[in-house]
Amino acid sequence: MTAGTAQVDQAARALVGRAQEVALCLDFDGTLSPVVDDPQAARPLEGVVELLPSLANRFAAVAIISGRPAPYLAEHVGAIGVRYLGLYGLQEMYEGEVRVDSRLEAAQPAVAAAAAALRNSSAVRESGAWLEDKVYSVAVHTRRVPDRDQWTDPIDATARQIAEEHGLELIPGKMVWELRPAVRGDKGDGVRRVVAESGARAVVVVGDDLGDLPAFAAVAELAAGGHDGLRVAVRSEEIPTQLLATADLVLEGPEGVLDFLRLLAA
């Protein structure tokens, strides 16, 4: 699993051989689901969901860790045995109930006020950008905006100003700006929790965006502490160069992820 040398089939064979010790941590958008213009229309690639229950039975843990709300993940994946960590790990579906970090609950009024400010801002109104209300965070999407390049700077400036005014932090992504409480929590924390709670001795992280960088960093940290790790980047035209630079293995789009999961389930 040395960086730059792992091949898909070799990596899969190595993981299957010790499946009970391995935690699989998967992103959703751009990884299990193709990127679509309407974020609410995102669904897992056909064939993915059917593989997940058998993987959850075989491996130490299978978790989907995403910026999406956990209920969204549970609704649209719905595979038995899979853990759903939403809002970068600060929210999780557990036995049909949602567990949320208490600090997010306390900050919800600030998020609601920021959402209203964004909705009323000229940059969002005039561009036609879409607001995604995640209850504990709010995101501005420009994927469907005509001439979106000309709106990037105005929306970025507006999002930063409103985040500062309401004491929130700004998390940029691919054609998206997310405003969320300045509560410590990223995908790396979710990865560490899944590994600790499952007792896994190896971890695989699969992702495609800037939000997956902390998860890749967690793999490196766990490796330094004696775990084995594999950082898998999912290539697209929009993949951040930083993610490719730190990946041990690169898959070609969600279709490549599906093929990789099939090898793990075989």
Side-chain angles (χ1 to χ4, degrees):
M1 297 185 189
T2 305
T5 64
Q7 299 299 314
V8 175
D9 55 348
Q10 294 171 337
R13 284 197 298 270
L15 294 169
V16 169
R18 55 184 306 199
Q20 292 182 344
E21 299 180 331
V22 179
L24 300 177
C25 297
L26 310 167
D27 177 41
F28 183 75
D29 291 282
T31 297
L32 298 182
S33 167
V35 173
V36 292
D37 289 340
D38 180 359
Q40 290 299 99
R43 299 292 185 271
L45 187 68
E46 186 175 354
V48 165
V49 172
E50 292 78 5
L51 293 171
L52 295 178
S54 63
L55 291 172
N57 283 333
R58 175 177 291 188
F59 285 79
V62 175
I64 299 176
I65 307 177
S66 170
R68 296 270 191 177
Y72 184 97
L73 301 173
E75 177 184 356
H76 295 296
V77 178
I80 296 173
V82 174
R83 295 182 64 171
Y84 302 101
L85 279 69
L87 305 182
Y88 306 96
L90 292 171
Q91 183 188 56
E92 183 172 5
M93 290 293 295
Y94 181 79
E95 294 183 351
E97 296 183 359
V98 182
R99 289 182 172 181
V100 182
D101 189 296
S102 61
R103 297 169 295 173
L104 291 187
E105 295 281 8
Q108 200 278 328
V111 172
L118 285 167
R119 192 172 296 110
N120 294 325
S121 69
S122 60
V124 171
R125 287 200 323 270
E126 295 173 17
S127 68
W130 182 71
L131 289 186
E132 181 183 7
D133 184 358
K134 301 183 181 183
V135 181
Y136 302 106
S137 69
V138 60
V140 186
H141 296 266
T142 60
R143 186 172 293 277
R144 293 184 293 177
V145 171
D147 301 321
R148 59 176 172 255
D149 289 346
Q150 77 177 45
W151 289 105
T152 296
D153 290 342
I155 288 176
D156 182 79
T158 297
R160 291 182 186 279
Q161 178 183 343
I162 291 174
E164 183 176 354
E165 289 174 352
H166 294 279
L168 303 174
E169 65 177 354
L170 181 69
I171 307 297
K174 294 184 295 191
M175 288 173 271
V176 61
W177 292 257
E178 182 165 358
L179 284 68
R180 70 179 196 180
V183 173
R184 170 63 183 166
D186 56 36
K187 289 189 180 182
D189 295 320
V191 168
R192 283 183 283 268
R193 187 161 86 243
V194 169
V195 170
E197 292 175 359
S198 67
R201 297 302 307 161
V203 58
V204 179
V205 168
V206 187
D208 75 313
D209 201 355
L210 291 171
D212 298 299
L213 285 171
F216 275 26
V219 173
E221 176 188 311
L222 288 163
H227 288 74
D228 291 323
L230 186 69
R231 297 162 295 185
V232 183
V234 184
R235 195 195 308 274
S236 71
E237 293 180 357
E238 304 161 359
I239 189 169
T241 56
Q242 305 98 304
L243 205 68
L244 282 175
T246 53
D248 303 311
L249 185 67
V250 178
L251 303 176
E252 300 299 327
E255 294 80 5
V257 176
L258 175 60
D259 290 341
F260 184 57
L261 295 180
R262 283 172 172 157
L263 289 173
L264 297 181

